[in-house]
Amino acid sequence: MNTPVPVPVNPLHKAGLIDRQWSPRVIAELNDYQFKVVRIEGEFIWHDHPETDEAFIVLDGTLRIDFEHGPVYVAPGELFVVPRGISHRTAAEGEARLLMIEPRGVLNTGHEGGERTATNDVWI
Amino acid sequence: MNTPVPVPVNPLHKAGLIDRQWSPRVIAELNDYQFKVVRIEGEFIWHDHPETDEAFIVLDGTLRIDFEHGPVYVAPGELFVVPRGISHRTAAEGEARLLMIEPRGVLNTGHEGGERTATNDVWI
């Protein structure tokens, strides 16, 4: 779903259009990678992605990523790459809005599945 | 060059550390993709990347991308993906600071070469 005439997109604006938290929405593609925006609040489930790294850019709020060795805090404007195969849990005290970059087809819960698995490949 | 313990990086801060314009510096990797920051001012050369799309996120200033059909202006906080094979020229009136995402090994001048080709794969 490439647009024929590319236009700039504003990830923070796009994130504000999402009606639910924890539901990533695709805003652009780069080869077989996707840019997704998501609103999060509270704690996600522990999971990992054995096949891929996963990049987060914080648009608004503070992202906490829990690792086995402790939490990492990512501030607005900062970039963080979760290495493949590393168990992690995303979280935010108040709402955080994030831009994610990862290969098309990656599920938010990795291989954990369950009720928190979001429908994939939904554009906004 | 993956760091053993990942830490958040601030692309705008990293861009401010670069001592020259038009010299992309790598700040993070995502699988075989690289996040690069660059300071630009004035006009680059026309080129294309036949093998890959190229993503820009504007950190500061305004990015102008000239296409054969006319210019596109990308504001701070906006994301723009240049499709593969499309001839384009990046430009900025004053200085602009950009975050770029593209596969490792992509040269800034595509296959045009010449004196404006930057050394690749330099980290900051």
Side-chain angles (χ1 to χ4, degrees):
Chain A
M1 185 175 160
N2 288 309
T3 44
V5 179
V7 292
V9 293
N10 187 310
L12 185 57
H13 172 70
K14 288 284 191 181
L17 301 178
I18 308 175
D19 59 0
R20 280 176 297 172
Q21 295 178 331
W22 302 106
S23 298
R25 294 288 180 263
V26 182
I27 61 167
E29 288 186 336
L30 172 72
N31 301 323
D32 55 345
Y33 280 65
Q34 290 183 324
F35 291 87
K36 304 175 186 176
V37 288
V38 65
R39 297 168 46 208
I40 72 167
E41 186 170 1
E43 291 179 346
F44 202 57
I45 62 167
W46 285 94
H47 68 284
D48 71 298
H49 305 281
E51 74 288 3
T52 182
D53 301 338
E54 186 172 40
F56 294 93
I57 292 175
V58 177
L59 304 170
D60 193 38
T62 298
L63 167 65
R64 190 186 86 218
I65 308 181
D66 294 327
F67 293 98
E68 285 168 10
H69 63 74
V72 169
Y73 293 89
V74 191
E78 288 185 336
L79 163 69
F80 187 87
V81 180
V82 176
R84 70 179 65 199
I86 302 293
S87 186
H88 64 282
R89 175 175 67 175
T90 49
E93 297 296 318
E95 179 168 283
R97 298 176 180 202
L98 317 175
L99 176 63
M100 303 166 58
I101 307 110
E102 60 191 5
R104 192 186 297 129
V106 172
L107 288 174
N108 64 334
T109 50
H111 297 273
E112 292 297 322
E115 62 181 18
R116 301 208 58 176
T117 303
T119 306
N120 221 351
D121 214 23
V122 182
W123 286 67
I124 198 164
Chain B
M1 183 175 162
N2 287 310
T3 44
V5 179
V7 292
V9 293
N10 187 309
L12 185 56
H13 172 71
K14 288 285 191 180
L17 301 177
I18 308 175
D19 59 359
R20 281 176 296 173
Q21 295 178 332
W22 301 107
S23 298
R25 294 287 180 265
V26 182
I27 61 167
E29 288 186 336
L30 172 72
N31 301 323
D32 55 345
Y33 280 65
Q34 290 183 323
F35 290 87
K36 303 174 186 177
V37 288
V38 65
R39 296 168 46 210
I40 71 167
E41 186 170 0
E43 291 179 347
F44 202 56
I45 62 167
W46 286 93
H47 68 283
D48 71 298
H49 305 282
E51 74 289 4
T52 182
D53 301 337
E54 186 173 39
F56 294 93
I57 293 175
V58 177
L59 304 170
D60 193 38
T62 299
L63 168 65
R64 190 186 88 218
I65 309 181
D66 294 327
F67 294 97
E68 285 168 8
H69 63 75
V72 170
Y73 293 88
V74 191
E78 289 185 335
L79 163 69
F80 187 87
V81 180
V82 176
R84 69 179 66 198
I86 303 292
S87 187
H88 63 283
R89 176 175 66 175
T90 48
E93 298 296 318
E95 179 168 283
R97 298 176 181 203
L98 315 175
L99 176 64
M100 303 165 57
I101 307 109
E102 59 191 4
R104 192 185 297 129
V106 172
L107 288 173
N108 64 334
T109 50
H111 298 273
E112 292 297 322
E115 61 181 16
R116 302 208 54 178
T117 303
T119 306
N120 221 350
D121 214 23
V122 182
W123 286 67
I124 199 164

